[in-house]
Amino acid sequence: MPEIKVTPLGAGQDVGRSCILVSIGGKNIMLDCGMHMGYNDDRRFPDFSYITQNGRLTDFLDCVIISHFHLDHCGALPYMSEMVGYDGPIYMTHPTKAICPILLEDFRKITVDKKGETNFFTSQMIKDCMKKVIPLNLHQTVQVDDELEIKAYYAGHVLGAAMVHIKVGSESVVYTGDYNMTPDRHLGAAWIDKCRPDILISESTYATTIRDSKRCRERDFLKKVHETIERGGKVLIPVFALGRAQELCILLETFWERMNLKAPIYFSTGLTEKANHYYKLFITWTNQKIRKTFVQRNMFEFKHIKAFDRSYADNPGPMVVFATPGMLHAGQSLQIFKKWAGNEKNMVIMPGYCVQGTIGHKILNGQRKLEMEGRATLDVKLQVEYMSFSAHADAKGIMQLIRMAEPRNMLLVHGEAVKMEFLKGKIEQEFSIDCHMPANGETVTVTTNPSVPVDISLNLLKREMALGGPLPDPKKPRTMHGTLIMKENSLKLVSSEQALKELGLNEHQLRFTCRVQLQDPHSDPDTLHRIYTHLKSVLKGYTIQHLPDGTVMVESIVIKVSSSAEDTNTKVLLLSWSYQDEDLGSFLSTLLKKGLPSGLC
Amino acid sequence: MERLAVFDRCGTMCDYVKMDDVTETLVVSTMDRECVSLLPRVCEVLVDSGRSLPDDTSLEKLLDWFTGLTKAGGSLLETFPCLPEFISTVVNKTSSDPGVISFTLRLSGLIAATEDGFRILQERSILDLAFNHQHWHEAGLWEDPCIRIGWIQGLRSMLQHSRALSFFVQADFTLPLLQLQTDASLFVASAANQMLAHILLFFQPTSPAGFNGVDKKHGDGKMTRQASIADIEHSGIPMETSQDYTAVVTAISEYLKESLVPKENTGLHQSLQILKLLTLLLAQARPSLRDKLLQTVAGSLEELATAGYSQLTLPLMDIILAAYSSSSTDGCVPDQGVTHLLSSMLKMDKPSDLIHAAAAFLRRGNQDTVHTAQAVRILLLPLHIITGQTLLGTNTAVEEHQFSMVEQLKTKTPCISMICVCLTNTSQIILMPPDVLPCPPVLIVTAVLSLLRICSGDSSCLSAGCAEVFRNVIGSGKVQKCALEALTGLSSSPGMKDKLTEVFTVLIQYLNNPDLDPTVLHKSYQALVKWMSVCKDLSLITHQLRQDLSEVVKKRVCDMRWEVRDSTVEFVGKLASVVSSAEEPCDAPEALLGGCCSTPLLREALQDPESYVRASAISALAQTLAHSWQQGAALTQEQVGRNYFKTTGRNLLQRRILSLRV
């Protein structure tokens, strides 16, 4: 039986990094190639030696698919392609291909230039890797090779995030990457066809989270900003140029309008240019509201949010500033942070993950004394808040996706084991399908129904139609008789005559024979006639003939009578029938064994 | 929460300490002392944690820190007297988080790696309980792969001295460890294999001088090296250790012998794991152990080789080659049994297995001439069939495989796979001595060029080779990339100058193809650069070819796809270095581009909408202009473009040029 195998090298009962191997129909696919942000050594990358110890990765893997630009999904890609040596196709959507190198370069700078780590990819490697990437459009089926095809679907989560449907023959798998089933302020909701995959591999970050939690976080965020402003403090929000920044800007703009607040909100210039560039490029990936707004005005032409100048940081009074980069490791956000860190009235809100070694990571871990360049120390007195605004599907969202795609099996990744266990129970109970949650390194094997394509000859179809049957309909399977022949590695269903002709074979008739003893005190011809009469009365609608050669024929069945040598009253009936009339032949032998009715003439 | 914060803080500090390399010198810095003082509280948090920790890497880092301290010569128990109590509490409390238990098992192994540490933990009966796998089975925790990993890695750390080996043998851990070889988790299975190899290799006795541990009885065609258990005993090792080691070797070898050949198809995974273990062992085993192992599994290996399981071909080949080459390096004649096995592997019926076996053989390095010649012929066979070039002559030893190979090449997937293996190995093939090669290397280049033409649908080549195979390779990017890589690799073999024009013609044809995949185009440029740099005498490149190259470069630098523009700009930059290394240096890359001025072309690229292309243009300009400077020309603003000089690009460019000049 054909089977699909799924082995997570990362994201199996954890959220460290995603890297999942799928073997389907003889093809091997890697889904995401993420980096673990918690390590400073080679452990940050998946251990590719588990994939193949003999030969190159390119020989083993048919393709790599990246779901979105977050580093825990794409961070190990240049390492794999340029340092380990993978030269095959890499697929990702257009926005992911555009944004991914920016993040990778940013991270490389921190790791190599700032922290001086070695055994890391270079800028040239990032570029060379990106040159191997084949961009995907939504809902466009891409043929990786003659047998393997992939199709991307909108996943929400971040700009360019995609779910992917992988198909080999009649077997298929859907991988969701990270997704969001509810539209947020700038992106739409994930959507997929009712594609009925054999396995749906879904993230489960918020497997037990309730739907309202994001609204709560938004309320919390606005409350904290508002309180700081009210007491005359300044709020710094370090952000990455793309993603949550746009969402938070829209959130604050609406709040300021509603509350009629006067404190200025600024955003750094680099942020505007980059964001506008990518949102213009990929406007079709945002939600409907943004698309409409974009037609009328520039994305960042907010009423309350203005462009930032570095001199504003020294202005007295409250203000809110969005500045890059998001982890406070360099640039404008770090400069502002240094200026404001000493005042306990101020606040810094970290809306996303911070890599170890960055100022962002240190302050989130409670460090209040920071060593800066030149051995100077910085006292952190301002308030530090962490709020995750990442958009993942919650339990309801995951169930909704299952309803949409109608998978035959479910496999959970990218989540904590305890939460997965809970969701697994729910899924199995509600959908009566198997739900798997392999740990890293564990392989789940799912057996699929074999499906072999067969061509049907036109003659056979015409004959079927001539018999008055309905036209062929894939949704209404029905029995069809023919001969299955295999020629040049393909299967054909043809009529038996055609099969003999095509294969150059002679026809042989197979006949079954049977002897039945009967007590009948008549002459042989009389007994035969009595049989003829009896069958005539029993088998209505059949062709029954009494032939001059002393036989009775019912369709292809021949009946002869002879007397027993010992006892003339005992007649021996010889029945012979062809394979096609097997049922009728069996029926007749049973019937005649019971004897002839006495009233027959 | 407060307790977890303490733990996080300690994790962060461990990072910090490690980053500063303080652990290397074991200087107890302020930070170290703070860590030491925090550790008892961290242990308390770990003992109390009933659920997963928020950061799954923190335990790993803590263990890294302990490992660092141990490596620097410190004693964990002296520095942290609280550890035995901590370990004892965790292993007795089965409700602990599996992650913490796994960490504790590994920590126990680390401490018990020294005899003192081992003794102290034993006195407190900690090791017996910690490594009693039944205890974890009964607690229902053995199902968790992290417990199994912790168990294996803990034992692995501990097994550094004879007392640990005795502990291992007395507790009868060999069988459970062998069972873990086929664990559902890849990580556990791999760790078990590593651990088995560690025991056999670490405790193997060093051979006495002149000892070769063999008693050769050649002649019956079987592996006949007679190695007895006594051979692996050594006077330098205590008798107890020797007995323990012998017991482990016997148990493991018997298991390998019994389980190597799968009983049915489902047992292939186990065979694969055993083959991997044997490869690990044979690569490092001393003669006595190696011979003992080979002697035990010889029959099974032969059986496997005859059975012809495709999945096992490569690992099987690895073992045979490891045995073959290690016995050769001992200065002995390779064992007849091994030689026989090797020969049979190079005569397998299934073409795809055969070609992989041949590639594995060649990868392993120089072997005997007969087998090498056979492997080379097998590897060249697909190219011979597809292109119709007589690479193997008419009377070849691989004729028996020709029919089955042709049949297999008619199916697309194996066809592409086999031709790629063949192409990947061509650069290795031409390094072989002439008596091994069935044809001159130039003919292999001709065949690769023919294949490249076939791939691009050039009908002029379609008459010579096997027409039914053509459809499988026409338009295949994978084959094209492999062929271009092969062509690049073949450039360095002698006598290739004559092929330069033909190579240029084919590569320019490729560059001209509007539908060409950007990655194939990139490799075409790489091949061009390599051939130019190897051939040195650039006068061999005709004026017409230079014109054609110039035309295609001008066209490609304006391509819709940034990947193509970038590769083109990079190519122009590399031309400068080719020119400077040529026998008769000419003025500039212009000379190679048929008079097309590369500087204006690159200047245009400085305005490219894609930042990657702009960066490549700066780099390429620097390479070109640095070359001009060396020729004595002054760098003018006109050369680079007045406008660009006003931008920050000037600094970048000058910096890049300076770095190149230095």
Side-chain angles (χ1 to χ4, degrees):
Chain A
M1 290 290 270
E3 42 185 39
I4 302 174
K5 288 185 174 183
V6 183
T7 314
L9 288 184
Q13 298 183 13
D14 80 8
V15 279
R17 63 163 165 249
S18 289
C19 182
I20 299 148
L21 291 175
V22 173
S23 295
I24 170 172
K27 305 284 168 185
N28 298 306
I29 300 129
M30 181 185 282
L31 302 170
D32 281 335
C33 186
M35 172 160 53
H36 200 306
M37 313 291 263
Y39 290 110
N40 299 323
D41 51 25
D42 273 357
R43 282 176 289 183
R44 62 162 69 98
F45 301 122
D47 190 343
F48 298 110
S49 67
Y50 288 109
I51 300 176
T52 170
Q53 284 180 332
N54 301 300
R56 305 182 308 161
L57 274 180
T58 317
D59 298 335
F60 180 80
L61 286 176
D62 290 280
C63 71
V64 176
I65 303 169
I66 302 294
S67 64
H68 64 286
F69 61 66
H70 280 153
L71 290 180
D72 59 335
H73 292 259
C74 70
L77 198 57
Y79 174 78
M80 180 192 172
S81 72
E82 309 307 309
M83 295 172 82
V84 179
Y86 168 72
D87 204 19
I90 301 165
Y91 293 93
M92 55 179 80
T93 64
H94 284 279
T96 308
K97 183 174 180 180
I99 301 164
C100 193
I102 303 172
L103 261 95
L104 288 167
E105 183 56 33
D106 220 32
F107 191 74
R108 192 202 64 78
K109 275 185 197 156
I110 300 170
T111 315
V112 180
D113 298 350
K114 294 257 167 202
K115 289 159 90 179
E117 284 179 35
T118 51
N119 196 24
F120 207 78
F121 45 77
T122 62
S123 301
Q124 179 71 31
M125 286 175 182
I126 298 174
K127 181 176 81 173
D128 289 343
C129 170
M130 285 301 137
K131 281 164 83 171
K132 293 174 185 170
V133 171
I134 304 164
L136 289 171
N137 290 315
L138 286 180
H139 306 155
Q140 179 193 18
T141 302
V142 174
Q143 210 71 40
V144 177
D145 59 33
D146 283 359
E147 291 143 353
L148 171 62
E149 60 181 47
I150 56 174
K151 189 175 179 181
Y153 290 93
Y154 192 77
H157 187 61
V158 287
L159 195 67
M163 301 193 272
V164 62
H165 182 219
I166 302 148
K167 199 165 173 245
V168 182
S170 61
E171 294 172 280
S172 71
V173 167
V174 166
Y175 173 58
T176 65
D178 290 353
Y179 65 105
N180 188 8
M181 291 300 285
T182 48
D184 65 21
R185 285 168 200 276
H186 73 309
L187 295 173
W191 179 86
I192 195 162
D193 279 321
K194 201 176 280 301
C195 51
R196 299 189 177 92
D198 292 296
I199 308 178
L200 172 64
I201 306 173
S202 170
E203 68 132 326
S204 51
T205 321
Y206 293 152
T208 53
T209 308
I210 49 163
R211 182 170 288 280
D212 281 345
S213 58
K214 190 163 182 212
R215 295 227 173 272
C216 291
R217 277 202 306 281
E218 286 184 356
R219 267 203 302 273
D220 207 18
F221 169 75
L222 292 171
K223 193 172 157 226
K224 285 200 165 116
V225 173
H226 192 204
E227 280 170 3
T228 312
I229 297 296
E230 286 291 291
R231 64 169 181 260
K234 295 176 168 64
V235 181
L236 170 65
I237 308 170
V239 281
F240 174 64
L242 274 151
R244 295 305 113 193
Q246 281 68 39
E247 195 186 359
L248 295 179
C249 278
I250 297 165
L251 188 66
L252 277 190
E253 168 84 359
T254 323
F255 186 69
W256 248 238
E257 186 70 28
R258 201 173 69 224
M259 304 291 287
N260 198 21
L261 297 173
K262 300 292 175 213
I265 308 174
Y266 298 113
F267 49 84
S268 56
T269 351
L271 179 77
T272 338
E273 283 169 8
K274 263 186 192 168
N276 273 327
H277 175 66
Y278 287 112
Y279 275 84
K280 259 183 204 166
L281 261 178
F282 306 116
I283 189 69
T284 50
W285 290 79
T286 57
N287 71 17
Q288 216 166 9
K289 195 176 166 191
I290 296 282
R291 267 179 264 171
K292 275 185 191 165
T293 317
F294 213 90
V295 176
Q296 292 158 9
R297 58 170 202 181
N298 189 302
M299 182 72 186
F300 271 77
E301 273 179 17
F302 293 113
K303 188 178 163 190
H304 299 277
I305 307 175
K306 307 284 178 216
F308 180 73
D309 183 277
R310 65 174 62 181
S311 63
Y312 296 171
D314 299 320
N315 286 356
M319 67 173 87
V320 180
V321 176
F322 287 95
T324 52
M327 301 183 201
L328 285 177
H329 54 274
Q332 206 160 47
S333 63
L334 183 60
Q335 282 172 11
I336 301 169
F337 176 78
K338 282 186 204 167
K339 284 191 177 180
W340 295 357
N343 190 341
E344 63 272 11
K345 273 203 251 172
N346 299 339
M347 177 182 280
V348 59
I349 299 178
M350 311 296 297
Y353 185 85
C354 287
V355 176
Q356 289 189 344
T358 59
I359 301 286
H361 182 264
K362 284 176 185 166
I363 58 169
L364 282 178
N365 273 280
Q367 223 167 305
R368 305 304 283 184
K369 248 190 207 317
L370 298 170
E371 252 186 68
M372 311 306 279
E373 299 103 43
R375 296 207 162 264
T377 52
L378 179 70
D379 280 322
V380 181
K381 291 182 181 162
L382 89 177
Q383 287 185 52
V384 180
E385 294 291 341
Y386 173 71
M387 286 181 183
S388 171
F389 276 89
S390 52
H392 292 275
D394 58 9
K396 275 186 190 169
I398 297 169
M399 303 298 252
Q400 199 183 334
L401 189 81
I402 299 173
R403 241 167 263 128
M404 263 186 189
E406 286 189 4
R408 293 187 185 94
N409 293 276
M410 195 64 197
L411 194 143
L412 299 176
V413 292
H414 201 279
E416 293 164 34
V418 182
K419 290 182 182 175
M420 278 184 181
E421 198 72 58
F422 173 79
L423 187 64
K424 174 181 148 74
K426 281 276 197 198
I427 291 169
E428 287 180 336
Q429 190 185 7
E430 188 167 335
F431 298 101
S432 302
I433 55 174
D434 286 337
C435 182
H436 309 270
M437 40 174 282
N440 284 329
E442 281 184 340
T443 302
V444 166
T445 306
V446 168
T447 309
T448 57
N449 292 325
S451 165
V452 184
V454 174
D455 293 331
I456 300 180
S457 80
L458 201 59
N459 280 342
L460 195 67
L461 274 179
K462 279 181 183 167
R463 190 193 287 180
E464 281 287 309
M465 281 172 66
L467 291 173
L471 284 170
D473 182 354
K475 286 181 184 165
K476 290 179 189 162
R478 64 193 170 95
T479 313
M480 193 170 184
H481 294 279
T483 306
L484 194 63
I485 60 168
M486 192 168 170
K487 227 179 162 187
E488 288 166 1
N489 285 334
S490 65
L491 288 167
K492 270 203 302 194
L493 189 69
V494 295
S495 63
S496 48
E497 301 84 42
Q498 197 183 337
L500 291 169
K501 206 171 148 192
E502 288 205 17
L503 301 174
L505 299 173
N506 291 324
E507 189 177 2
H508 297 274
Q509 279 284 345
L510 185 68
R511 289 192 76 86
F512 298 92
T513 55
C514 166
R515 279 170 196 273
V516 175
Q517 284 201 346
L518 193 72
Q519 290 301 318
D520 195 42
H522 297 91
S523 67
D524 290 356
D526 283 354
T527 304
L528 192 67
H529 185 74
R530 279 159 57 76
I531 290 170
Y532 172 71
T533 315
H534 177 49
L535 294 181
K536 265 283 203 196
S537 65
V538 176
L539 301 171
K540 302 268 194 261
Y542 284 86
T543 316
I544 305 170
Q545 302 167 70
H546 191 167
L547 298 174
D549 63 351
T551 56
V552 166
M553 267 195 88
V554 183
E555 304 292 346
S556 73
I557 301 158
V558 182
I559 305 167
K560 275 186 177 177
V561 177
S562 59
S563 298
S564 162
E566 296 89 38
D567 176 13
T568 50
N569 286 347
T570 305
K571 306 289 183 222
V572 178
L573 308 186
L574 186 70
L575 278 84
S576 155
W577 62 88
S578 71
Y579 169 74
Q580 284 82 358
D581 284 326
E582 195 191 349
D583 291 344
L584 185 60
S586 305
F587 172 74
L588 282 185
S589 67
T590 318
L591 181 76
L592 293 172
K593 271 177 195 166
K594 290 175 187 165
L596 297 171
S598 53
L600 277 176
C601 56
Chain B
M1 279 308 286
E2 191 200 337
R3 292 188 139 194
L4 285 176
V6 170
F7 180 70
D8 282 346
R9 185 150 161 63
C10 190
T12 313
M13 283 192 297
C14 291
D15 253 7
Y16 191 87
V17 171
K18 192 163 179 265
M19 270 166 53
D20 284 356
D21 280 339
V22 176
T23 49
E24 294 297 319
T25 51
L26 202 69
V27 175
V28 181
S29 65
T30 322
M31 197 62 99
D32 245 346
R33 270 199 295 273
E34 206 180 332
C35 283
V36 172
S37 65
L38 265 176
L39 196 75
R41 286 176 65 197
V42 171
C43 290
E44 274 176 42
V45 173
L46 290 178
V47 165
D48 286 350
S49 68
R51 58 185 195 88
S52 304
L53 295 162
D55 179 2
D56 58 352
T57 65
S58 45
L59 288 173
E60 292 288 326
K61 286 170 192 159
L62 201 53
L63 209 63
D64 287 349
W65 185 55
F66 286 136
T67 312
L69 289 172
T70 317
K71 276 189 183 158
S75 160
L76 287 181
L77 290 182
E78 275 173 28
T79 321
F80 310 109
C82 61
L83 286 181
E85 185 55 39
F86 162 71
I87 296 171
S88 174
T89 316
V90 172
V91 298
N92 276 296
K93 187 180 162 192
T94 48
S95 60
S96 299
D97 171 58
V100 174
I101 297 175
S102 176
F103 161 80
T104 311
L105 291 175
R106 290 193 288 163
L107 177 61
S108 312
L110 199 62
I111 294 171
T114 61
E115 294 206 31
D116 278 348
F118 182 86
R119 184 181 43 78
I120 293 169
L121 292 185
Q122 267 296 55
E123 277 167 10
R124 300 188 60 160
S125 305
I126 290 175
L127 292 178
D128 287 331
L129 186 63
F131 291 101
N132 179 356
H133 57 100
Q134 286 303 336
H135 168 65
W136 302 117
H137 263 299
E138 283 156 20
L141 287 165
W142 193 249
E143 293 301 304
D144 195 320
C146 80
I147 299 284
R148 303 197 295 275
I149 280 272
W151 186 79
I152 297 171
Q153 290 181 345
L155 281 175
R156 165 88 167 73
S157 304
M158 185 203 299
L159 279 164
Q160 307 292 332
H161 48 83
S162 52
R163 293 191 66 186
L165 182 64
S166 295
F167 170 75
F168 181 88
V169 172
Q170 277 162 26
D172 226 356
F173 284 152
T174 312
L175 191 63
L177 196 58
L178 284 164
Q179 282 164 349
L180 288 177
Q181 233 198 346
T182 49
D183 195 89
S185 165
L186 273 180
F187 303 157
V188 175
S190 169
N193 247 353
Q194 298 284 343
M195 164 74 172
L196 287 163
H198 168 78
I199 302 174
L200 295 191
L201 294 172
F202 185 82
F203 293 99
Q204 66 178 324
T206 45
S207 301
F211 171 78
N212 63 13
V214 289
D215 172 19
K216 290 178 206 132
K217 287 181 188 171
H218 290 172
D220 58 355
K222 300 269 176 198
M223 272 183 252
T224 52
R225 275 164 189 267
Q226 298 299 303
S228 66
I229 297 296
D231 288 339
I232 55 180
E233 289 172 3
H234 183 256
S235 57
I237 289 179
M239 184 54 83
E240 283 168 23
T241 309
S242 178
Q243 281 169 352
D244 289 335
Y245 182 64
T246 307
V248 175
V249 171
T250 310
I252 294 177
S253 345
E254 284 308 311
Y255 180 85
L256 299 186
K257 185 183 169 185
E258 290 302 313
S259 322
L260 186 52
V261 180
K263 307 286 179 284
E264 49 196 19
N265 252 348
T266 48
L268 281 183
H269 176 57
Q270 188 175 24
S271 303
L272 193 65
Q273 285 298 102
I274 294 176
L275 289 175
K276 280 182 187 171
L277 172 61
L278 279 170
T279 313
L280 283 174
L281 288 169
L282 291 175
Q284 294 174 61
R286 297 198 180 102
S288 53
L289 175 63
R290 184 193 65 215
D291 295 339
K292 158 78 182 154
L293 287 170
L294 278 178
Q295 186 193 334
T296 317
V297 297
S300 308
L301 283 179
E302 275 189 36
E303 208 176 318
L304 267 191
T306 344
Y309 294 108
S310 296
Q311 279 171 285
L312 306 181
T313 305
L314 280 180
L316 191 56
M317 198 64 192
D318 277 345
I319 288 171
I320 295 168
L321 289 171
Y324 189 77
S325 58
S326 66
S327 56
S328 314
T329 49
D330 290 346
C332 319
V333 179
D335 186 285
Q336 277 192 14
V338 178
T339 313
H340 173 72
L341 260 181
L342 187 58
S343 303
S344 64
M345 289 298 282
L346 292 176
K347 281 180 187 157
M348 279 187 292
D349 293 334
K350 207 171 165 189
S352 52
D353 292 348
L354 181 71
I355 202 158
H356 278 113
F361 180 85
L362 222 59
R363 208 170 36 234
R364 191 81 193 185
N366 276 341
Q367 310 279 356
D368 71 284
T369 318
V370 179
H371 285 116
T372 308
Q374 171 78 351
V376 165
R377 282 164 189 277
I378 292 166
L379 281 166
L380 288 176
L381 191 54
L383 200 57
H384 169 89
I385 293 168
I386 296 178
T387 63
Q389 297 287 333
T390 46
L391 299 178
L392 308 176
T394 43
N395 186 17
T396 80
V398 287
E399 223 164 34
E400 55 189 298
H401 301 297
Q402 181 129 0
F403 178 74
S404 55
M405 183 76 85
V406 170
E407 284 306 304
Q408 187 95 74
L409 285 170
K410 285 177 187 169
T411 315
K412 193 161 188 170
T413 309
C415 170
I416 290 176
S417 161
M418 285 196 293
I419 192 73
C420 286
V421 175
C422 159
L423 289 165
T424 312
N425 283 282
T426 48
S427 51
Q428 178 79 18
I429 288 173
I430 55 159
L431 296 177
M432 298 293 149
D435 58 326
V436 167
L437 288 180
C439 63
V442 173
L443 217 54
I444 300 176
V445 176
T446 310
V448 173
L449 287 171
S450 292
L451 180 66
L452 277 168
R453 286 201 187 97
I454 293 167
C455 286
S456 61
D458 184 344
S459 56
S460 63
C461 299
L462 301 183
S463 55
C466 180
E468 284 166 288
V469 183
F470 291 157
R471 62 175 177 205
N472 292 335
V473 293
I474 291 176
S476 164
K478 203 170 176 179
V479 176
Q480 285 174 338
K481 280 195 277 182
C482 279
L484 287 165
E485 273 176 12
L487 193 63
T488 310
L490 290 167
S491 61
S492 48
S493 58
M496 291 301 168
K497 276 186 182 174
D498 300 344
K499 301 302 289 183
L500 191 65
T501 306
E502 204 183 337
V503 169
F504 254 66
T505 309
V506 171
L507 292 177
I508 291 171
Q509 269 174 12
Y510 260 66
L511 295 174
N512 260 317
N513 179 359
D515 300 325
L516 197 67
D517 183 276
T519 53
V520 179
L521 178 123
H522 185 71
K523 291 213 185 285
S524 305
Y525 277 134
Q526 282 179 331
L528 264 178
V529 170
K530 189 72 201 300
W531 272 80
M532 278 193 264
S533 60
V534 168
C535 283
K536 303 278 184 195
D537 183 7
L538 299 178
S539 66
L540 291 170
I541 306 165
T542 64
H543 179 69
Q544 185 56 49
L545 285 174
R546 290 172 194 228
Q547 278 295 121
D548 293 347
L549 182 62
S550 155
E551 287 302 314
V552 78
V553 164
K554 273 194 264 179
K555 196 169 72 182
R556 286 305 195 178
V557 88
C558 306
D559 199 280
M560 288 269 287
R561 296 159 295 181
W562 73 263
E563 296 91 339
V564 172
R565 298 198 300 274
D566 188 71
S567 295
T568 310
V569 169
E570 280 183 336
F571 169 70
V572 175
K574 281 173 190 159
L575 280 186
S577 50
V578 171
V579 169
S580 60
S581 65
E583 278 171 2
E584 290 172 33
C586 27
D587 284 345
E590 278 80 3
L592 275 173
L593 290 176
C596 143
C597 194
S598 61
T599 316
L601 202 122
L602 295 175
R603 211 167 52 199
E604 279 293 308
L606 289 173
Q607 312 296 326
D608 197 279
E610 174 59 48
S611 58
Y612 272 141
V613 182
R614 295 199 296 273
S616 294
I618 291 175
S619 192
L621 262 176
Q623 284 168 300
T624 313
L625 298 178
H627 174 70
S628 303
W629 280 6
Q630 280 161 7
Q631 301 290 309
L635 176 64
T636 64
Q637 286 195 13
E638 281 70 29
Q639 275 180 294
V640 197
R642 208 172 281 277
N643 290 337
Y644 203 76
F645 252 84
K646 289 175 188 164
T647 67
T648 49
R650 180 180 59 175
N651 295 334
L652 278 172
L653 181 60
Q654 285 181 338
R655 229 180 295 153
R656 187 83 182 98
I657 294 173
L658 279 174
S659 71
L660 284 167
R661 293 186 87 193
V662 169

